[in-house]
Structures are given as structure tokens and as C-alpha cells.
């Protein structure tokens, strides 16, 4: 019986490995070109998101949700609505982080690490980071009918924080559907985008930093 269980587990595990296939160089090039073309057509985006953070030290998951607004080239509003109220605003080189009690403003140009992280956020939303050869080593995989890319940081500052960033695409390969960020600490943050609207009319006041 024990041998049968072990054999069954081995078989199931092998199926998982087979299902997840790494694309060859030409396939990866074609997919990245398609995603890059789609990303370039996204001038604005609005959606809802759900986020799960698995914290290794606490051995528990923290779940939150909210809304996101994005406008080319560098405007972003990432607003948590539950279980707390917190807003991350980016407008050009300026960043503001607001809670119900405090507001913190940051000049991104004066903080190299923060500049790179905000760049990751923007590129992850559109999938534009797939062509950032100087920043990441990119590997693209197919898992059944789902495509996703693994981005391994090259730059020292990012390598100190992230082990790998995974970007998931919708079935038509026209937009990003989710992002998973694995940190060096063992913490994992997974974000899923829902009810996505491409190129809606978004007032610039949405990204206003007072």
C-alpha cells in the first residue's frame, strides 16, 4: 500500500512538471512581442484587485482588496479598501502613501531603490517589463492554457529584495491578469486583477498628490 501511495504521488508530481512547459527562445520572443504590442496600446486602465500575502515568519496569510487606476506614462493610484484604507499614489517622480492617520511623500528620483520598485509596479501592470533585459532575466512558461513569465532581478538592489517575480496573462495574451512577488525573506505577495477596463476616461485629479 505504501509503495502504491508513493508511486501515485510521483505520477501526479510528474504530471505537474509536464503540464508546466518552458517556451523555447522563438516562442518566448513571439509572446513577448505580442504582449509588448498590447501594452503599448494601454493608455489607461481601471480595475479591482485582490491581494494575498503569505508571511513566512507569522505563518499566516493577510488578505486585502481594493481598486487600481493607471494612466500613461507614470500615473498610478493603488487604493486598498478592505480590511483597511490605504492609498499608494504615483504621479511622475512624486509618490504619496496615505492612511487614515498619516501621509508620507517621497521623491522617487532621490531614492534609487524606490525608483526601481515603482518601475516594477508599472511594468507588472502592463507586462511592459518583459523586454527589460537590463533589469531581469525572463523565462516564459505555459501551464495548461495559462501563460506566465518569471522575472529574475539582475540589479543588486532588487536582488536583495526579490527572488523572482511572476507575471500571469489572460488567455488572449492581451493583458496581465495577476502578479506574484517572491521575496528573499520567504514572503509571497499575490495580486489578481478583476473587472479590468482598458482605456477608460480617468480624470487626472485621481492621481493628485497634494
Amino acid at each position: 500500500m505504501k509503495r502504491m501511495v508513493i508511486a501515485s504521488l510521483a505520477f501526479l508530481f510528474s504530471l505537474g512538471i509536464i503540464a508546466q512547459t518552458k517556451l523555447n527562445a522563438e516562442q518566448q520572443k513571439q509572446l513577448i512581442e505580442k504582449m509588448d504590442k498590447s501594452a503599448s496600446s494601454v493608455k489607461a486602465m481601471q480595475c479591482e484587485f485582490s491581494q494575498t500575502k503569505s508571511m513566512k515568519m507569522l505563518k499566516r496569510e493577510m488578505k486585502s482588496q481594493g481598486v487600481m487606476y493607471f494612466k500613461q506614462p507614470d500615473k498610478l493610484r493603488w487604493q486598498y479598501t478592505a480590511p483597511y484604507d490605504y492609498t499608494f499614489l504615483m504621479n511622475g517622480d512624486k509618490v504619496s502613501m496615505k492612511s487614515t492617520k498619516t501621509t508620507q511623500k517621497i521623491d522617487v528620483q532621490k531614492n534609487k531603490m524606490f525608483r526601481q520598485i515603482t518601475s516594477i509596479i508599472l511594468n507588472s501592470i502592463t507586462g511592459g517589463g518583459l523586454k527589460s533585459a537590463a533589469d531581469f532575466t525572463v523565462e516564459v512558461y505555459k501551464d495548461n492554457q495559462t501563460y506566465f513569465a518569471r522575472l529574475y532581478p539582475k540589479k543588486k538592489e532588487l536582488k536583495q529584495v526579490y527572488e523572482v517575480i511572476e507575471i500571469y496573462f489572460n488567455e488572449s495574451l492581451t493583458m496581465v491578469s495577476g502578479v506574484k512577488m517572491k521575496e528573499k525573506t520567504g514572503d509571497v505577495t499575490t495580486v489578481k486583477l478583476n473587472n479590468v477596463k482598458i482605456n477608460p476616461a480617468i480624470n487626472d485629479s485621481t492621481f493628485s498628490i497634494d
Side-chain angles (χ1 to χ4, degrees):
M1 177 63 72
K2 185 177 180 180
R3 289 182 178 179
M4 289 179 64
V5 171
I6 292 174
S8 298
L9 289 173
F11 176 69
L12 290 173
F13 180 75
S14 68
L15 285 179
I17 296 297
I18 293 172
Q20 191 177 102
T21 306
K22 184 179 178 180
L23 271 60
N24 62 38
E26 183 58 31
Q27 291 172 326
Q28 178 166 312
K29 179 183 177 182
Q30 291 177 3
L31 185 141
I32 290 177
E33 287 178 350
K34 184 172 183 177
M35 282 301 304
D36 187 59
K37 184 177 180 181
S38 296
S40 64
S41 68
V42 178
K43 306 304 179 184
M45 182 189 295
Q46 177 181 332
C47 70
E48 299 171 357
F49 69 84
S50 58
Q51 176 178 305
T52 302
K53 182 159 188 175
S54 302
M55 304 184 72
K56 186 176 180 180
M57 294 295 293
L58 299 180
K59 295 183 179 180
R60 65 186 179 91
E61 291 185 343
M62 298 176 63
K63 295 187 178 183
S64 54
Q65 60 188 44
V67 292
M68 184 274 288
Y69 301 88
F70 165 74
K71 197 171 186 179
Q72 288 281 18
D74 49 20
K75 293 183 175 67
L76 175 69
R77 183 186 186 96
W78 191 272
Q79 183 174 356
Y80 294 91
T81 56
Y84 47 80
D85 187 3
Y86 185 86
T87 302
F88 174 93
L89 276 170
M90 180 164 60
N91 194 330
D93 295 336
K94 302 297 181 183
V95 167
S96 171
M97 293 177 285
K98 298 181 179 181
S99 67
T100 53
K101 296 181 179 179
T102 62
T103 297
Q104 181 182 4
K105 296 180 182 179
I106 298 172
D107 187 337
V108 177
Q109 288 301 320
K110 294 180 180 179
N111 189 316
K112 185 178 180 180
M113 180 65 177
F114 208 91
R115 184 167 70 247
Q116 291 179 339
I117 291 176
T118 53
S119 177
I120 286 177
I121 295 172
L122 288 178
N123 286 330
S124 295
I125 291 170
T126 61
L130 299 177
K131 297 190 75 173
S132 302
D135 297 328
F136 301 100
T137 297
V138 180
E139 297 177 352
V140 181
Y141 293 82
K142 182 179 181 181
D143 189 351
N144 294 320
Q145 298 303 311
T146 301
Y147 287 89
F148 69 95
R150 286 183 178 142
L151 281 62
Y152 296 92
K154 289 183 177 181
K155 293 185 176 179
K156 180 180 177 181
E157 294 83 2
L158 293 180
K159 288 176 71 173
Q160 291 175 345
V161 179
Y162 298 104
E163 180 180 336
V164 63
I165 297 168
E166 295 182 352
I167 300 179
Y168 293 80
F169 314 114
N170 64 355
E171 290 187 8
S172 58
L173 299 177
T174 55
M175 70 178 70
V176 172
S177 62
V179 179
K180 180 184 287 186
M181 295 173 282
K182 299 181 180 180
E183 300 176 24
K184 288 288 188 178
T185 59
D187 293 354
V188 179
T189 301
T190 303
V191 177
K192 294 182 180 180
L193 306 182
N194 306 299
N195 299 322
V196 179
K197 297 178 181 178
I198 299 297
N199 297 328
I202 304 176
N203 196 299
D204 283 343
S205 62
T206 304
F207 312 98
S208 177
I209 297 178
D210 299 328

